[in-house]
Amino acid sequence: MRRKADVLEHTIEAALRPGCFVAYGESWSFVTGLEEVAALIGALAGTEPARAAALYETFLAGCHEKAEEVDDSGGVFGQFVEALFLGWVKARRAAGADPDETSARLLAWMEEDPYGFCHGLEKELVRMLDRPGLAAFGRQVRERFDAVSQEPAKGGSSVRDAAYRRRRWGEVLRAVYKAQRNDTAYLALAEAAGLTPEDCHALATILVARRKPGEALAWAERGIGLAGQGPRGFMSTVELTNLRRQLLTKLGRGGEALEHAWAAYREHPSEHAYDELMELVAKADRPAWHEKAMEAAQDAELSLTIPLLLKTRELGRLAERLRRATDAALEGLSHFVTEPAASKLEKEHPELAARLWRAQGLRILNAGKSKYYDAALRNMERAQILFAKAGLEAEWARTVAEIRGRHHRKSGFISDFERLAAGRGPSTEPSFLERAKARWNRTESE
């Protein structure tokens, strides 16, 4: 006998829009509609958890059926499906469901995951499970890990597949042991696979939670030693270095923490490194340390120095640093770095702001990014105005000559640029709304 459908199942189906392809540009609004339905189910979990769990399963089934009708290049649909899995776990837990059955069904979904919805699910999942649930999940993951580890090597793709599954279940086990704060089991697993900086960070984190800062520090320092060997070397170093400073401070070794922060800042004098350094400096000593930090940064990479000097409001030092920079160096910088500096320097240092605006425009032209030619034109207009303000008309004339010589074939840009060079730039043209109002007023007056 066919089960009577829950009234909310019709709402789920309508929100999924079966048969309609969801393009990339529509995915955000599509998922927003799905989230509204999921919120209705989530509200049931407190009063009707079993019903909520059943509805989550229906929604998950529908999302898997819909997957090939969604351009999920931005990943928002996948993130939504992950949230459904977590909602299902929460509802099952509230309904008092058997933890072993919940784990078995979760792992079956994780094994048969054609669209990658379960990839990395364990990171959030272990936070949702209670102690019995986590224990049941861990046991069943361990069984899968041991089973694949004992599979005989048969050669070819089967070896690669077994290696992938062993690595995958090993990652899930790591998440379980970390959530259980089981450093012994975590270490045995990590050493068997080959210890990584990420493992050292996880072990240190477990030991911090178990109030063993001294042992945690030893693992943080060991991880820093390994950090250059892994694929996430830089990120691992940052995370482990920050943890080491925190632990040194906790252990009453603030002087060592400051030494490490100072060494890290001198190597990469960035905004983040500056903040880390100043957090460890006594308030009375900060002016002196600030001067030391500014001196250490004077010859650092422009991509690091410019945001740092803007953050610390050192416009004089910023101007001096930019005067020493070549035009080629400025053109190599992202507009995320140069545009804030150009805007800030326009009033007091128009000649430097002009160089920065010009560099942004030339960066676009040199790369041939035609869809950004309008931005390049606006950048050049700002440069023209500021070179004139600084009395550097000859510099603007040199810029015009360079663009005519190197970029005269860029038809989507050069005609508008020639109008700019002749004094008829974009800002002198009426805007869309100005043209519309003028046309509207003429129509009314006729």
Side-chain angles (χ1 to χ4, degrees):
M1 183 177 179
R2 188 175 181 180
R3 179 181 63 84
K4 184 178 179 181
D6 190 298
V7 66
L8 277 178
E9 290 186 5
H10 300 297
T11 308
I12 291 171
E13 183 170 354
L16 284 169
R17 292 158 50 188
C20 298
F21 184 78
V22 179
Y24 172 73
E26 302 173 300
S27 60
W28 289 94
S29 59
F30 172 67
V31 169
T32 298
L34 299 181
E35 288 173 339
E36 291 173 357
V37 179
L40 297 176
I41 301 173
L44 293 172
T47 55
E48 300 178 77
R51 180 189 174 197
L55 286 167
Y56 275 123
E57 289 179 36
T58 299
F59 214 159
L60 284 165
C63 286
H64 280 75
E65 194 71 16
K66 182 70 180 179
E68 294 187 15
E69 295 180 352
V70 181
D71 180 351
D72 195 30
S73 303
V76 291
F77 183 61
Q79 291 171 11
F80 170 74
V81 178
E82 178 180 313
L84 289 183
F85 280 115
L86 299 176
W88 178 81
V89 170
K90 183 178 180 181
R92 291 269 300 179
R93 178 179 169 181
D98 178 27
D100 284 299
E101 182 185 338
T102 298
S103 296
R105 297 184 66 184
L106 273 170
L107 290 168
W109 287 332
M110 292 172 75
E111 286 178 315
E112 187 63 33
D113 185 26
Y115 302 109
F117 292 143
C118 296
H119 180 72
L121 177 64
E122 67 276 1
K123 294 175 184 177
E124 293 298 323
L125 179 61
V126 294
R127 301 177 186 177
M128 298 291 298
L129 296 168
D130 57 10
R131 184 173 294 181
L134 189 58
F137 185 70
R139 280 195 305 272
Q140 294 187 33
V141 173
R142 185 78 215 196
E143 289 171 3
R144 284 164 171 77
F145 178 79
D146 290 341
V148 74
S149 298
Q150 294 167 10
E151 287 182 6
K154 299 178 181 178
S157 60
S158 63
V159 172
R160 291 192 295 273
D161 180 61
Y164 167 76
R165 286 185 288 126
R166 186 163 50 250
R167 185 170 60 252
R168 176 75 181 102
W169 293 127
E171 290 170 355
V172 179
L173 266 184
R174 281 173 166 86
V176 171
Y177 293 151
K178 185 176 178 181
Q180 292 176 328
R181 300 179 183 177
N182 189 341
D183 57 312
T184 302
Y186 190 108
L187 178 57
L189 178 66
E191 286 185 331
L195 198 68
T196 68
E198 291 79 10
D199 290 327
C200 294
H201 187 277
L203 285 162
T205 303
I206 292 171
L207 290 164
V208 167
R210 294 181 58 190
R211 299 182 182 180
K212 296 182 177 180
E215 294 180 39
L217 177 60
W219 277 110
E221 291 180 336
R222 185 172 177 180
I224 290 170
L226 294 172
Q229 303 173 21
R232 293 179 63 249
F234 176 74
M235 185 58 68
S236 298
T237 301
V238 171
E239 293 171 349
L240 286 161
T241 300
N242 291 342
L243 181 58
R244 177 174 62 179
R245 290 188 202 122
Q246 295 168 14
L247 290 167
L248 285 170
T249 303
K250 190 178 186 70
L251 291 165
R253 295 160 60 182
E256 289 181 55
L258 180 57
E259 288 178 15
H260 288 304
W262 176 233
Y265 174 85
R266 282 181 296 173
E267 186 174 356
H268 293 285
S270 64
E271 296 176 80
H272 176 74
Y274 177 86
D275 289 339
E276 291 284 340
L277 176 66
M278 289 301 163
E279 282 183 11
L280 297 167
V281 174
K283 189 173 182 180
D285 297 332
R286 285 178 186 171
W289 273 98
H290 172 78
E291 287 301 312
K292 286 178 64 175
M294 293 301 100
E295 290 174 12
Q298 62 181 353
D299 294 318
E301 295 178 25
L302 281 169
S303 59
L304 297 175
T305 307
I306 291 174
L308 172 62
L309 295 176
L310 282 175
K311 174 187 175 63
T312 55
R313 301 179 183 178
E314 288 282 359
L315 295 188
R317 281 188 164 99
L318 175 60
E320 178 57 33
R321 182 69 179 87
L322 291 173
R323 287 191 189 98
R324 293 188 284 117
T326 64
D327 290 334
L330 297 180
E331 290 169 27
L333 297 171
S334 164
H335 71 279
F336 292 111
V337 174
T338 52
E339 187 170 331
S343 300
K344 202 72 174 177
L345 292 169
E346 283 189 347
K347 184 176 180 180
E348 295 184 16
H349 301 281
E351 75 288 357
L352 296 175
R355 288 182 63 203
L356 290 169
W357 288 119
R358 177 178 63 186
Q360 289 181 66
L362 288 174
R363 178 181 172 86
I364 294 170
L365 293 175
N366 292 337
K369 296 181 178 179
S370 57
K371 66 179 180 179
Y372 298 122
Y373 282 170
D374 57 338
L377 194 65
R378 290 194 298 272
N379 292 337
M380 289 303 175
E381 184 181 25
R382 293 303 307 158
Q384 179 191 39
I385 293 168
L386 291 164
F387 276 133
K389 181 179 178 181
L392 296 173
E393 288 83 358
E395 190 63 19
W396 172 245
R398 184 180 72 80
T399 303
V400 171
E402 178 185 346
I403 291 175
R404 284 172 174 164
R406 294 177 57 189
H407 303 291
H408 62 280
R409 294 184 179 179
K410 293 182 169 69
S411 57
F413 172 82
I414 198 66
S415 59
D416 288 332
F417 178 74
E418 289 294 355
R419 296 176 67 230
L420 171 64
R424 301 192 303 276
S427 63
T428 64
E429 295 294 314
S431 69
F432 166 79
L433 285 179
E434 288 171 337
R435 294 196 306 272
K437 287 190 289 185
R439 186 188 296 270
W440 182 263
N441 290 336
R442 284 200 304 273
T443 302
E444 284 192 329
S445 61
E446 290 175 356

